[in-house]
């Protein structure tokens, strides 16, 4: 069974500092993808960054980067220069395909609070 | 491109009533997904459509739940004989693999409260 583990229920960071949100995954599939989504209090899921299992380089999108360590099955999100607007829930998810179907499997999330 | 839309945004119903939610995906997206998110949890997969074909249903989707995508465009999720345990946020997402991307674009969700 596919499983995503986010071990940090909550994280605090000072504005303008960097923060790392942890994510480990469990899969035996040779091909998979890893996502990070942000969910503000308003509820919408906002795509942040994607890493494919065969990608050689770690993904980066602006202030977001993904520290992908395949051997350790970890895909941590690094947010640089935190802003007050970064306060939200952050979900790590894995994309799985089986037969003709596909889905995202999410972790339980980490609540990030950015302090001024 | 107006994004994924869901209707209604909020629904309060009494236990035992039937409810139906609608999802309109991004127009060129042929793949559509429903997820359920309860308080303090990440979204959980419910079902997946490719065009009008429903290719997977989660075991979370009991016989009281049914989803359709009749013309491969919008989708509906119906819950019959609602129970208090059905109270959750129901999220719809869509995607298009033609550009090689696996990204799923989410709608704002329908928050269901069963009293």
């Amino acid at each position: 069974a596919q499983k995503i583990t986010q071990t940090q229920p909550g994280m605090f960071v000072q504005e303008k500092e960097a923060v790392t949100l942890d994510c480990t995954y469990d899969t035996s599939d040779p091909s998979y993808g890893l996502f990070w989504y942000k969910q503000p209090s308003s509820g919408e899921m906002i795509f942040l960054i994607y890493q494919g299992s065969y990608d050689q380089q770690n993904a980066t999108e602006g202030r977001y980067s993904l520290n992908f360590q395949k051997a350790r099955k970890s895909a941590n999100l690094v947010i640089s220069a935190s802003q007050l607007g970064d306060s939200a829930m952050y979900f790590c998810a894995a994309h799985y395909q089986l037969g003709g179907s596909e889905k995202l499997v999410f972790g339980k999330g980490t609540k990030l609070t950015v302090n001024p | 491109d107006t994004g994924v839309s869901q209707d209604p945004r909020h629904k309060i119903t009494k236990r035992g009533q039937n409810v139906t939610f609608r999802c309109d995906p991004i127009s060129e997206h042929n793949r559509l997904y429903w997820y359920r998110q309860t308080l303090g949890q990440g979204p959980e997969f419910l079902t997946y459509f490719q065009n009008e074909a429903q290719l997977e249903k989660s075991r979370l989707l009991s016989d009281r739940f049914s989803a359709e995508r009749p013309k491969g465009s919008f989708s509906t999720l119906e819950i019959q004989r609602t129970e208090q345990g059905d109270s959750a946020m129901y999220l719809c997402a869509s995607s298009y693999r033609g550009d090689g991307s696996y990204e799923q674009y989410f709608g704002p969700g329908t928050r269901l409260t069963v009293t």
Side-chain angles (χ1 to χ4, degrees):
Chain A
Q2 305 95 348
K3 187 176 180 182
I4 298 290
T5 302
Q6 295 181 252
T7 57
Q8 306 154 314
M11 288 286 285
F12 293 86
V13 65
Q14 287 297 121
E15 194 178 6
K16 300 180 184 176
E17 292 186 350
V19 62
T20 298
L21 306 184
D22 294 342
C23 172
T24 58
Y25 58 93
D26 184 11
T27 180
S28 55
D29 294 350
S31 177
Y32 52 90
L34 296 156
F35 289 85
W36 278 91
Y37 282 86
K38 173 184 177 181
Q39 188 177 43
S41 56
S42 52
E44 74 272 27
M45 297 288 285
I46 301 168
F47 165 76
L48 295 178
I49 196 166
Y50 170 79
Q51 177 87 41
S53 59
Y54 291 116
D55 293 343
Q56 297 296 316
Q57 305 254 353
N58 284 345
T60 59
E61 290 283 350
R63 295 187 299 110
Y64 305 109
S65 60
L66 203 152
N67 183 2
F68 182 49
Q69 298 187 45
K70 198 169 181 178
R72 299 179 65 181
K73 293 190 174 181
S74 75
N76 300 337
L77 176 70
V78 180
I79 305 175
S80 62
S82 298
Q83 301 172 357
L84 295 178
D86 294 335
S87 293
M89 285 293 294
Y90 288 80
F91 291 97
C92 178
H95 176 266
Y96 292 104
Q97 289 180 270
L98 184 63
S101 184
E102 58 177 278
K103 69 182 82 169
L104 291 178
V105 176
F106 287 84
K108 291 188 174 183
T110 296
K111 183 175 182 179
L112 176 67
T113 302
V114 180
N115 294 317
Chain B
D1 182 355
T2 57
V4 179
S5 61
Q6 292 186 246
D7 184 69
R9 295 290 307 276
H10 303 273
K11 179 71 177 179
I12 301 174
T13 191
K14 292 185 177 180
R15 187 163 49 104
Q17 298 294 305
N18 299 343
V19 294
T20 300
F21 309 142
R22 177 179 171 125
C23 171
D24 285 273
I26 294 171
S27 58
E28 67 269 23
H29 286 189
N30 61 339
R31 295 160 191 249
L32 188 145
Y33 317 78
W34 285 97
Y35 294 85
R36 181 173 68 188
Q37 186 178 21
T38 53
L39 205 60
Q41 303 293 320
E44 296 174 293
F45 171 79
L46 292 179
T47 190
Y48 163 66
F49 289 87
Q50 187 170 328
N51 299 309
E52 65 275 10
Q54 187 175 22
L55 297 186
E56 186 175 355
K57 284 178 60 172
S58 163
R59 282 170 293 185
L60 294 174
L61 221 60
S62 73
D63 291 345
R64 297 183 298 104
F65 288 72
S66 63
E68 293 183 341
R69 195 182 182 199
K71 297 183 180 178
S73 57
F74 72 93
S75 175
T76 57
L77 178 68
E78 181 183 15
I79 309 174
Q80 295 182 326
R81 304 180 305 281
T82 52
E83 301 173 356
Q84 287 188 321
D86 298 332
S87 294
M89 174 79 88
Y90 290 84
L91 294 163
C92 176
S94 69
S95 72
Y96 171 66
R97 290 284 302 281
D99 58 359
S101 167
Y102 292 94
E103 181 184 344
Q104 294 184 17
Y105 295 79
F106 282 81
T110 294
R111 184 171 296 283
L112 173 66
T113 303
V114 182
T115 61

